[in-house]
Amino acid sequence: MKRKTIMALLMASAMAFGTCATAFASEVQIDSAVPVEAAAQAGKVVVAVDDDSFTIGPWGSDSAVRDWTECTIWAHLCYRPFIGAMLENGELQMNAAKSVTKVDDATYEVEIFDNIVDSQGNAIKASDVVFSYNKLAELGFVSEISLYYGSAEATGDYTLTINLKDSSEGAIEAVLCNCSIANEAWYTGASEDEVNSNPATTGAYTVTDMVTGSGVTLQAKEDYWKTEGRCDAEFENVKEIELRCITEASSRSIALENGEIDMAEISSDEVGRFEDNEDYNVTKYLNGMTQYLIFNCSEGSKFADVNARQGVAHAFDAYNMSLSAGEVVLSHDVAPNLGPDYVDAWDEEEYFTYDVEAAKEYLAAAGYDESNPLEFSFLNSSQAPQQPYVALQAMFSEANLNMTIDSQDRAARQAVQNDPTAWDMCEYSNSVADFTTTFWNDLFGGDNNQCFVQDEKLQELLAAAIADRSEENLTAFHEYVKEQAYIVGCYTEVRSIVTTAGVTDISLQKLNPLLNAMTFTEDYTSVEG
């Protein structure tokens, strides 16, 4: 088999890569990687993941395992197969929902299939769907549900009404596609260990083995409740999916070369060793999880003063911060250049240029100098690579900024992310589901926004941009956020997934691999036999 390098997600042609981004090689093959349901199942695929946060219950905090498996093991009302897929255009795929009917902008009637059962044989009715939405809204793990979901009511055994509290364009899609559905009686009667390690899944796969922080094995259901018209997330192209935690990037490369795994995300500085080897396939894609820096702008905080924020924003540059992150696309907004409404002209403009003297002037205006340096805490996830933040810390010291890095595991970090007393500045990431305005709304919408800012003008400009995504309205909001420096965009990583030669296509329509929908050669054999 000939080597194949794929860029699974196209960037807008006007996207600026910045000086740190290595251009893609001329031999890159463009492939839509549209998933196709296989006539025969492959036996097994062994996949390495890079973190030990194994959250596989119906609702939980983000992790590589959750991102790569949630839609495979949990049914959702609908599945969104690509960025910007819209209900009104007939682009959403029905999963647990048999139909969705719009009553008005904020009200939708949903009919679910009448034969849904979980892996323990519990039937799923409309009341279970309502319970699932209310529970997820209570837990607060999914920002889209917190922002847009208002309430739901079962109107029959298999019918329900969903009410939105925000009917912005893209809201109903976010609500329909972001809530895992579980049986209420099972969930309320199960122990915490059962929920997190042996869940009664409603998707096409069930969990057969789970060792927290080490590995999880999924098995395709032979008696899956839906037999026809399956959405992409319901394909069963492989009988067994085993995920193994290998946190070290170099160890994942070695595991591939030693024949211990079939697939892994490989760091940019090591992917070259696989690109000229016919025994492997390399899939390159622009990960939609854009990295950005958030200032805590709550009243009385160190960054309530715009001069302090501007001073810090000009005391670093994303290029030097990203050197250890590999191949990246530098940001020119807090959002990545992926939404159809993103204004490409922004990529030709300066965006928080690195200027130590300007930084010191801003800081002086905020009352800080060498004798009284600005000292602040910086919250990040301990599972993430720390080199970019060490580089950030070093750059800040040149401008008399003393940053203390507070690295916490994902669970602990999630617990304090929305507490304005717990941190001064933090890093975070978010992905574009459809529009740039939706991305902005996730960050800035309402009183409980990510930077804790109360700003009427910000909300007015955001509302105008959401109501009419004209270039004028979008640019007005873009410029105001730059002026106020509430959140500063950094970069989006270009990532590489390497597989053995028998894995021929990886679906990355939603920026994470859809493991159940990969395709395999006829002679494919897993490293596990």
Side-chain angles (χ1 to χ4, degrees):
M1 173 179 286
K2 293 183 179 179
R3 175 176 63 87
K4 179 171 67 170
T5 302
I6 305 169
M7 184 176 173
L9 182 64
L10 291 177
M11 290 167 287
S13 59
M15 180 173 287
F17 275 78
T19 56
C20 67
T22 305
F24 287 105
S26 60
E27 75 267 15
V28 168
Q29 176 182 337
I30 304 305
D31 193 322
S32 62
V34 175
V36 176
E37 191 166 16
Q41 290 178 317
K44 183 174 183 176
V45 63
V46 181
V47 182
V49 292
D50 63 359
D51 75 65
D52 58 3
S53 300
F54 281 58
T55 52
I56 60 170
W59 314 292
S61 56
D62 291 340
S63 70
V65 172
R66 184 164 198 86
D67 292 345
W68 289 19
T69 64
E70 181 177 357
C71 290
T72 302
I73 60 179
W74 293 104
H76 297 64
L77 287 176
C78 297
Y79 177 75
R80 200 170 200 173
F82 59 87
I83 293 174
M86 303 298 288
L87 175 66
E88 65 180 0
N89 296 335
E91 294 166 335
L92 294 190
Q93 297 177 354
M94 297 293 108
N95 186 187
K98 189 174 184 179
S99 65
V100 179
T101 304
K102 179 178 180 179
V103 178
D104 55 49
D105 287 347
T107 310
Y108 292 79
E109 294 178 347
V110 179
E111 179 183 4
I112 64 171
F113 286 95
D114 62 6
N115 63 328
I116 306 174
V117 293
D118 65 24
S119 56
Q120 295 182 14
N122 302 302
I124 299 297
K125 294 189 175 182
S127 57
D128 297 301
V129 177
V130 173
F131 167 79
S132 298
Y133 271 93
N134 290 338
K135 189 64 180 180
L136 180 55
E138 173 193 332
L139 294 170
F141 286 121
V142 178
S143 60
E144 291 88 348
I145 299 299
S146 300
L147 277 169
Y148 303 120
Y149 172 72
S151 63
E153 179 183 3
T155 55
D157 282 349
Y158 304 104
T159 57
L160 64 143
T161 299
I162 291 177
N163 298 294
L164 305 177
K165 64 180 178 182
D166 182 331
S167 57
S168 304
E169 191 168 17
I172 186 58
E173 290 79 7
V175 170
L176 290 171
C177 300
N178 280 290
C179 180
S180 296
I181 296 169
N183 176 271
E184 179 179 2
W186 163 76
Y187 182 84
T188 55
S191 67
E192 183 177 353
D193 180 66
E194 288 171 328
V195 168
N196 294 320
S197 62
N198 186 30
T201 65
T202 49
Y205 285 70
T206 191
V207 178
T208 59
D209 186 52
M210 165 77 168
V211 179
T212 301
S214 177
V216 60
T217 301
L218 314 179
Q219 186 82 31
K221 296 177 180 176
E222 294 183 0
D223 57 349
Y224 182 56
W225 56 269
K226 188 187 288 187
T227 57
E228 296 180 354
R230 294 184 180 185
C231 72
D232 295 350
E234 297 173 289
F235 289 174
E236 295 180 324
N237 289 3
V238 57
K239 293 180 181 179
E240 187 174 281
I241 302 170
E242 180 185 346
L243 295 96
R244 296 179 185 171
C245 177
I246 304 177
T247 56
E248 291 293 330
S250 59
S251 296
R252 293 194 296 276
S253 298
I254 293 170
L256 265 172
E257 292 175 328
N258 288 346
E260 299 170 13
I261 56 176
D262 300 302
M263 171 180 170
E265 192 167 84
I266 299 300
S267 62
S268 58
D269 58 345
E270 295 194 356
V271 71
R273 61 207 273 186
F274 299 99
E275 288 182 313
D276 293 315
N277 191 326
E278 63 182 9
D279 292 330
Y280 302 96
N281 290 328
V282 179
T283 300
K284 281 194 172 184
Y285 67 106
L286 182 65
N287 182 304
M289 296 298 288
T290 288
Q291 306 294 312
Y292 50 87
L293 304 180
I294 306 173
F295 293 106
N296 178 350
C297 302
S298 60
E299 186 177 354
S301 69
K302 294 180 180 180
F303 289 115
D305 188 335
V306 63
N307 288 302
R309 300 193 298 269
Q310 285 285 0
V312 172
H314 284 85
F316 84 100
D317 76 281
Y319 166 65
N320 283 308
M321 180 182 169
S322 71
L323 287 177
S324 60
E327 192 172 9
V328 303
V329 174
L330 291 178
S331 297
H332 288 81
D333 182 78
V334 295
N337 188 339
L338 287 171
D341 55 345
Y342 185 93
V343 179
D344 292 330
W346 299 339
D347 291 337
E348 306 303 320
E349 302 169 354
E350 289 188 346
Y351 182 73
F352 292 111
T353 54
Y354 180 48
D355 188 333
V356 174
E357 294 307 313
K360 290 180 178 179
E361 290 178 8
Y362 279 117
L363 291 168
Y368 299 104
D369 55 27
E370 290 186 20
S371 63
N372 180 35
L374 173 58
E375 299 180 350
F376 58 95
S377 65
F378 181 82
L379 177 67
N380 75 342
S381 296
S382 58
Q383 286 98 330
Q386 299 299 299
Q387 297 95 320
Y389 312 117
V390 173
L392 189 66
Q393 186 180 48
M395 284 185 281
F396 283 162
S397 67
E398 295 296 317
N400 300 317
L401 294 167
N402 296 334
M403 181 180 85
T404 301
I405 298 176
D406 178 16
S407 297
Q408 301 190 26
D409 65 48
R410 284 189 171 90
R413 188 250 171 82
Q414 188 81 25
V416 300
Q417 183 64 45
N418 296 321
D419 181 359
T421 68
W423 51 272
D424 299 318
M425 182 181 179
C426 74
E427 60 80 27
Y428 214 58
S429 59
N430 205 352
S431 61
V432 168
D434 42 50
F435 303 107
T436 302
T437 50
T438 306
F439 185 98
W440 288 343
N441 199 34
D442 285 349
L443 273 59
F444 298 104
D447 292 335
N448 297 319
N449 51 64
Q450 290 191 12
C451 53
F452 313 117
V453 66
Q454 305 297 316
D455 185 335
E456 290 185 9
K457 182 176 180 180
L458 177 77
Q459 298 304 324
E460 290 171 1
L461 291 172
L462 178 58
I466 292 172
D468 176 9
R469 294 192 305 275
S470 66
E471 184 171 335
E472 180 181 2
N473 286 346
L474 290 162
T475 298
F477 183 83
H478 163 82
E479 291 295 336
Y480 186 72
V481 172
K482 283 174 57 179
E483 175 188 317
Q484 296 299 318
Y486 290 133
I487 300 178
V488 178
C490 296
Y491 55 80
T492 305
E493 296 178 12
V494 177
R495 296 190 174 180
S496 299
I497 291 177
V498 179
T499 67
T500 55
V503 185
T504 60
D505 288 293
I506 299 174
S507 169
L508 285 156
Q509 293 172 304
K510 293 179 67 180
L511 310 178
N512 289 305
L514 198 59
L515 300 176
N516 64 293
M518 299 188 295
T519 55
F520 304 83
T521 59
E522 291 184 3
D523 60 351
Y524 166 77
T525 301
S526 170
V527 294
E528 289 288 301

